Amino acid sequence: MDDTPTGVVNVEIFGQQYPIRSELDHVYVLKLARYLDRKMQAAAEQVHGGDSVRVAVLAALNIADEHFKTLAAQEDREMDAQRLALELEQLVDEALEQS
């Protein structure tokens, strides 16, 4: 029988076991942990001989970079959508003026 308390997911990140207490879906927490583990493995390849804290900081910076790039791309899409809506509004106004 599993002795893991309800709401706790055991994950492995960078070779260490962590019991994660969360209300999030069990599978989602595992997915997050696998993602972080991959990021830390990639960071470790960049910092040969670095300790786990240094690797974690580099992984966190890489994840933050991804996040900010995603936000910027989202803002660009929103601006494009606003621009297109304005252009469409102008076309409708022009069409109404001609009728």
Side-chain angles (χ1 to χ4, degrees):
M1 181 172 156
D2 187 6
D3 292 334
T4 305
T6 304
V8 174
V9 181
N10 289 311
V11 300
E12 183 176 329
I13 300 170
F14 206 59
Q16 296 290 315
Q17 295 289 325
Y18 297 96
I20 306 296
R21 183 177 309 279
S22 176
E23 298 298 320
L24 297 173
D25 179 68
H26 176 87
V27 173
Y28 181 67
V29 173
L30 291 172
K31 183 177 179 179
L32 293 174
R34 282 192 302 271
Y35 180 78
L36 179 55
D37 184 61
R38 285 192 307 270
K39 289 297 182 180
M40 288 188 66
Q41 296 296 338
E45 291 174 7
Q46 297 175 15
V47 193
H48 301 291
D51 64 9
S52 60
V53 172
R54 185 179 201 97
V55 170
V57 168
L58 185 55
L61 286 171
N62 288 333
I63 292 169
D65 179 50
E66 288 177 357
H67 175 69
F68 279 95
K69 286 178 179 175
T70 299
L71 289 177
Q74 181 179 359
E75 288 174 5
D76 288 346
R77 286 191 302 275
E78 288 173 3
M79 289 175 53
D80 288 344
Q82 290 174 352
R83 181 182 50 77
L84 289 172
L86 181 59
E87 289 175 7
L88 180 59
E89 182 181 352
Q90 290 170 343
L91 287 172
V92 169
D93 287 345
E94 290 172 10
L96 291 174
E97 287 176 3
Q98 293 176 1
S99 49

